[in-house]
Amino acid sequence: MTGDSPDDRARALETAHRAALRFLDSIDERPVWPRASLDDMLAAFGGPLAETGTDPAEVIEQIAKNADPGLVAIPGGRFFGFVIGGTYPAALAADWLVSTWDQNSGSSLLAPATVAMERIAGQWMLDLFGLPSTASVGFVTGGQLANFTCLAAARHAVLDRAGWDIAESGMRDAPRVRFVVGSDRHGSIDRAARFLGIGRSELIVVPSDDQGRMRADALESVLADGAGPLIVCLQAGEVHTGAFDDFDTLTVIAHIHDAWVHIDGAFGLWAAAAPSLSHLTEGIAAADSWATDAHKTLNVPYDCGMAIVRDPADSIAAFRTGGDYLIYSGLDPWDVTPELSRRARGVPAWAALRSLGRSGVAALMDRLHANALRMAAGLASIDAVEVLNEVEYTQVMFSLDSDEGTRALGAAVLDEGTAAVTGAEWRGRAALRCSMSSWATTADDVDRTVHAIRDLVAAQRIA
C-alpha cells in the first residue's frame, strides 16, 4: 500500500516544507489576487478517483503545483481585503506542530500540553485586554463562532434569571429574549442570533452615528420601552470604518435594565493592548462577554477565535455535556465551547504572544494604525478619491465620485495585481475597503499600493 511507512511520511513532510518556502518566497512579486477561477481549480483537482494510490510526496507536489494560480497572497504585505491578517512566523511554525502532534484538545486529561498552552494564552489575552482574570476563554474557529458561543451563554443566563431553564425545557414556551443590536453591527451577530432561534424580525435595532457607533440616546429610548430577558450587543471596531462604540456610557445604560452586554471585538478588541489606542476600548471590562479573533489582528493562522465569558459558570451551563465515558477535570475546553473533539487551535496564539511579548503586541497594533493613517493620507492625495471614514484604528474606506467608477476601480485593482482591496456599500454609496491587518505590511507596501491606485484612477479618467 502506498503511503503507510515512516519514510513516506518524512518525504511528504519534506516536500511540503519545500513547497511552503517556495510559496512564501514568491509572495512579494506574485499578483496578490488569484489568477485562476474556481472552475480552473475544479478542473485541476477533479476527475474520477483513481483506482490505485499515489506516492504521498508526489501528491503534495501535485497540490502545490496545481493550487498555485488559485492562491491569494494573504501572507504578504499588500493584501488589504476584508479583515484578514497574515501569519506571524512563530504562529505558522507552531501550527505545523499542532498538525504533527494531532492532539484532541477538548480535554486536559487527554491533551495536557496543548490545553495548558491554550489556558495560558487565554490568561495572557485577558491581561492584555484588561478583562477579568477569572473569565473563561474558549478557543473556537473564528469570530462567527466566538459571537455564537458568547451569545449562547448569554441566552442561557438571561433566561435563567427569568426563571427558565433552557437546558431542561427548551425554547418552545420560553420568555421572549429581547436582542438589541446596532444598525451597523457585523453580519455574524445576526447569524449567531439565527443559530440561537432569534429571527431577523425579532432584532431590536438601535440607530448609529455617521461612523457606525451605537447612539446612547437611541439605546436609552429602546430599552425604556419593554421588559423581559435582555441581551445588548456592542461593537469594538466597525468593519467599514473601524469605529468603536462608547462602552462606558452604553454598558451602564444596558446594565441599568439588567441586560447581558456582549462586545463583538473580532479585530478591535486588540486595540486595548496598545497604550496609544487603548482609549478606544475604555469601559469594555464592564461587559459580560467578548468575542475576538486571533487570525485577524494577532496574525495567527486561520481557525483561532476566542469566546470570552465573564463568569465561567455561564459557559458551563450552556455547553457542558453528559456522557458516562467522558472524564471531567475542572474547567476544560469542551466545557466552554460547542465542540468536543478539535485541534489545538490555541497553540499558535500562545506562540505568537510568546514571540511578541507585551511590547511587541503593542508595537504591532501601533504599526497597523500607522499604516492605515499612511494609506488614508496617500489615497486622499489622489484627485477624485475621497476617504470616507475617520481613521482611528485600522480601517480605511474610500470611493470615487460615482458608484460606477468606484466599482470599476475595485475590479481594476484586483486585476492589476499590486494589492487587494475589497468592495462594500456605506450609507447607500459604493466604497472600497482597505484593512490594515498584517504584520508583514511595510510603508513601502502602502506606498506601492497608493502609486498603483493613482495610476489606475488616472487611466480610468483618460479612458
Side-chain angles (χ1 to χ4, degrees), residues 265-287:
F267 67 99
L269 214 60
W270 295 91
S276 63
L277 296 168
S278 61
H279 63 280
L280 298 171
T281 60
E282 285 179 5
I284 62 169

Side-chain angles (χ1 to χ4, degrees), residues 331-387:
L331 186 67
D332 273 346
W334 60 22
D335 290 325
V336 297
T337 71
E339 297 170 300
L340 289 177
S341 302
R342 65 169 181 81
R343 76 195 309 270
R345 59 174 61 97
V347 171
W350 185 94
L353 291 170
R354 183 66 183 86
S355 179
L356 288 164
R358 181 184 298 275
S359 63
V361 174
L364 175 59
M365 302 308 116
D366 286 338
R367 189 161 75 250
L368 298 180
H369 181 225
N371 285 338
L373 292 173
R374 188 181 188 95
M375 179 68 79
L379 291 170
S381 73
I382 301 173
D383 288 343
V385 171
E386 180 185 0
V387 175

Side-chain angles (χ1 to χ4, degrees), residues 277-436:
L277 296 168
S278 61
H279 63 280
L280 298 171
T281 60
E282 285 179 5
I284 62 169
D288 302 287
S289 61
W290 308 261
T292 192
D293 196 343
H295 97 76
K296 299 183 189 301
T297 320
L298 186 61
N299 281 231
V300 308
Y302 262 101
D303 195 13
C304 194
M306 282 76 70
I308 306 170
V309 176
R310 173 181 292 277
D311 187 346
D314 291 320
S315 296
I316 291 170
F319 293 110
R320 177 167 280 178
T321 187
D324 55 10
Y325 68 97
L326 298 177
I327 302 171
Y328 290 93
S329 176
L331 186 67
D332 273 346
W334 60 22
D335 290 325
V336 297
T337 71
E339 297 170 300
L340 289 177
S341 302
R342 65 169 181 81
R343 76 195 309 270
R345 59 174 61 97
V347 171
W350 185 94
L353 291 170
R354 183 66 183 86
S355 179
L356 288 164
R358 181 184 298 275
S359 63
V361 174
L364 175 59
M365 302 308 116
D366 286 338
R367 189 161 75 250
L368 298 180
H369 181 225
N371 285 338
L373 292 173
R374 188 181 188 95
M375 179 68 79
L379 291 170
S381 73
I382 301 173
D383 288 343
V385 171
E386 180 185 0
V387 175
L388 302 177
N389 64 309
E390 302 166 8
V391 184
E392 62 179 12
Y393 189 44
T394 58
Q395 305 300 97
V396 182
M397 182 170 54
F398 64 101
S399 69
L400 299 182
D401 49 13
S402 74
D403 288 353
E404 181 183 26
T406 299
R407 295 189 182 107
L409 175 61
V413 170
L414 298 181
D415 184 63
E416 191 270 345
T418 295
V421 300
T422 47
E425 285 198 10
W426 183 252
R427 302 297 189 256
R429 181 177 179 182
L432 296 172
R433 290 171 54 254
C434 177
S435 178
M436 289 296 168

Side-chain angles (χ1 to χ4, degrees), residues 122-284:
Q123 291 173 358
W124 287 345
M125 288 179 200
L126 294 175
D127 183 36
L128 286 171
F129 300 153
L131 300 181
S133 62
T134 53
S136 66
V137 182
F139 284 86
V140 293
T141 57
Q144 173 69 78
L145 262 291
N147 278 320
F148 166 78
T149 301
C150 290
L151 291 168
R155 181 187 63 174
H156 191 287
V158 298
L159 285 173
D160 185 65
R161 291 176 199 166
W164 187 266
D165 183 350
I166 187 175
E168 181 64 30
S169 303
M171 284 290 291
R172 185 181 301 275
D173 298 313
R176 179 175 177 271
V177 175
R178 292 182 295 155
F179 197 84
V180 178
V181 298
S183 59
D184 289 296
R185 66 206 176 274
H186 191 270
S188 64
I189 293 294
D190 293 38
R191 204 160 174 245
R194 189 164 79 241
F195 297 164
L196 294 168
I198 300 169
R200 190 178 299 112
S201 67
E202 296 180 278
L203 301 180
I204 302 170
V205 180
V206 180
S208 304
D209 68 12
D210 64 342
Q211 294 295 302
R213 307 178 190 95
M214 183 184 286
R215 283 173 34 205
D217 63 325
L219 180 63
E220 282 266 27
S221 177
V222 163
L223 297 189
D225 182 22
L230 176 63
I231 298 171
V232 174
C233 296
L234 305 180
Q235 186 167 229
E238 202 282 331
V239 74
H240 300 85
T241 67
F244 289 67
D245 283 339
D246 179 354
F247 304 112
D248 270 331
T249 302
L250 296 169
T251 303
V252 169
I253 294 170
H255 279 160
I256 287 172
H257 293 268
D258 198 29
W260 176 293
V261 176
H262 170 66
I263 296 177
D264 173 14
F267 67 99
L269 214 60
W270 295 91
S276 63
L277 296 168
S278 61
H279 63 280
L280 298 171
T281 60
E282 285 179 5
I284 62 169

Side-chain angles (χ1 to χ4, degrees), residues 82-109:
F82 305 101
V83 186
I84 298 176
T87 306
Y88 202 69
L92 172 59
D95 203 52
W96 287 4
L97 287 178
V98 167
S99 294
T100 301
W101 292 339
D102 193 26
Q103 303 291 288
N104 184 342
S105 297
S107 163
S108 60
L109 287 176

